[in-house]
Amino acid sequence: MKILLLEDDGKTASYITTGLTSAGHAVDHVTDGRDAFALGLDSSYEVMIVDRMVAGLDGLSLVKALRSAGIPVPVLFLTAMNGIDDRVEGLDAGADDYLVKPFAFSELMARIGALRRRPPLSQEKTRLKVADLEIDLVRRTAERGGQSIELLPREFSLLELLMRNEGRILTKTMLLERIWNFNFDPQSTVVETHISRLRAKIDKPYSRPLLHTLRGAGYSLHARQ
């Protein structure tokens, strides 16, 4: 695999480069974000490992610039910035994974392998659409008939699951396990509550309902003919 490494700490860069080369990978190492951007425009790289705090162009700006340029190479941030906000910021910028220093080399290798197995970004769906209801999986936004719909994070996850399974019946147990990570609890009304709230937002203002309850079976999202 051809890997581009942006790392300004010489000892860390040597450690990573030696390990990756020993594992059979080809590694180009740079210390300046501007150099990484110039090389990154060459789409032959299969993975980029990026430190955030580097000279020239910081890692976050680098990833944003690459994504703006339409470069889909998988990016793993390898950084000492370990706050939750830092991680969210990094992933929102377009990175595919985030590993905090100090790190175990075996974990770095495992994450690189996982990135390699992913389909290119261009093949991944970033939007889902059912009739005139549409969601943006990157921006986490929803709209119907061109009108923006405000959803809470759990409501968005529930809608995304229903849309990914358009026309299929999803049981209460399935929703509990996949959205709330619960085992089935017959006393819980969390699913009914969220379905009701979601229906009020995506269906009630519109003439054609999309979210359907199948009594005794579950829920399905589709446009009836």
Side-chain angles (χ1 to χ4, degrees), residues 1 9 12-13 37 60 64 116 132 138 149 219:
M1 193 186 322
D9 180 77
T12 301
F37 179 68
L60 202 65
K64 289 180 179 177
R116 189 184 191 185
D132 57 350
V138 177
I149 301 172
Y219 306 93

Side-chain angles (χ1 to χ4, degrees), residues 98-150:
Y98 201 103
L99 182 60
V100 175
K101 300 174 183 176
F103 61 98
F105 190 78
S106 57
E107 183 178 3
L108 175 63
M109 287 291 291
R111 289 176 183 248
I112 290 173
L115 289 178
R116 189 184 191 185
R117 292 192 294 272
R118 289 185 186 177
L121 287 177
S122 58
Q123 295 180 16
E124 291 186 347
K125 283 187 175 181
T126 59
R127 300 182 72 86
L128 299 176
K129 187 173 183 180
V130 175
D132 57 350
L133 175 64
E134 192 167 4
I135 61 174
D136 186 319
L137 300 174
V138 177
R139 299 180 182 277
R140 310 287 287 179
T141 57
E143 63 179 34
R144 183 169 181 188
Q147 299 296 314
S148 177
I149 301 172
E150 296 294 328

Side-chain angles (χ1 to χ4, degrees), residues 2-222:
K2 188 176 180 182
I3 299 172
L4 179 60
L5 171 64
L6 172 60
E7 172 60 66
D8 62 354
D9 180 77
K11 187 175 179 180
T12 301
S14 177
Y15 173 65
I16 294 172
T17 301
T18 300
L20 292 176
T21 303
S22 299
H25 302 298
V27 181
D28 288 336
H29 169 228
V30 294
T31 60
D32 188 298
R34 291 168 298 191
D35 295 335
F37 179 68
L39 290 173
L41 293 176
D42 175 357
S43 59
S44 65
Y45 290 105
E46 295 171 83
V47 170
M48 289 180 62
I49 302 171
V50 174
D51 191 8
R52 287 190 56 170
M53 303 300 292
V54 293
L57 184 67
D58 66 88
L60 202 65
S61 298
L62 166 65
V63 174
K64 289 180 179 177
L66 288 172
R67 296 303 185 229
S68 296
I71 303 300
V73 58
V75 174
L76 183 151
F77 271 126
L78 183 61
T79 173
M81 299 177 67
N82 62 356
I84 292 176
D85 289 344
D86 297 324
R87 297 176 191 228
V88 171
E89 190 176 38
L91 295 172
D92 281 348
D96 301 86
D97 201 356
Y98 201 103
L99 182 60
V100 175
K101 300 174 183 176
F103 61 98
F105 190 78
S106 57
E107 183 178 3
L108 175 63
M109 287 291 291
R111 289 176 183 248
I112 290 173
L115 289 178
R116 189 184 191 185
R117 292 192 294 272
R118 289 185 186 177
L121 287 177
S122 58
Q123 295 180 16
E124 291 186 347
K125 283 187 175 181
T126 59
R127 300 182 72 86
L128 299 176
K129 187 173 183 180
V130 175
D132 57 350
L133 175 64
E134 192 167 4
I135 61 174
D136 186 319
L137 300 174
V138 177
R139 299 180 182 277
R140 310 287 287 179
T141 57
E143 63 179 34
R144 183 169 181 188
Q147 299 296 314
S148 177
I149 301 172
E150 296 294 328
L151 296 176
L152 297 174
R154 195 80 77 180
E155 294 168 349
F156 187 91
S157 298
L158 180 58
L159 179 58
E160 178 184 348
L161 178 60
L162 289 162
M163 293 182 74
R164 287 187 183 279
N165 292 275
E166 179 187 359
R168 299 177 183 170
I169 299 173
L170 300 182
T171 67
K172 179 178 177 179
T173 300
M174 293 166 68
L175 297 177
L176 281 170
E177 290 177 349
R178 297 178 64 174
I179 301 298
W180 286 271
N181 200 28
F182 286 176
N183 292 319
F184 180 68
D185 176 1
Q187 304 303 318
S188 174
T189 60
V190 66
V191 171
E192 290 85 346
T193 300
H194 279 75
I195 286 288
S196 176
R197 291 176 181 168
L198 184 59
R199 178 176 282 125
K201 293 184 178 181
I202 68 169
D203 270 352
K204 282 193 174 177
Y206 304 93
S207 59
R208 182 169 58 163
L210 298 176
L211 179 52
H212 308 281
T213 300
L214 294 95
R215 192 173 300 279
Y219 306 93
S220 178
L221 191 138
H222 61 271

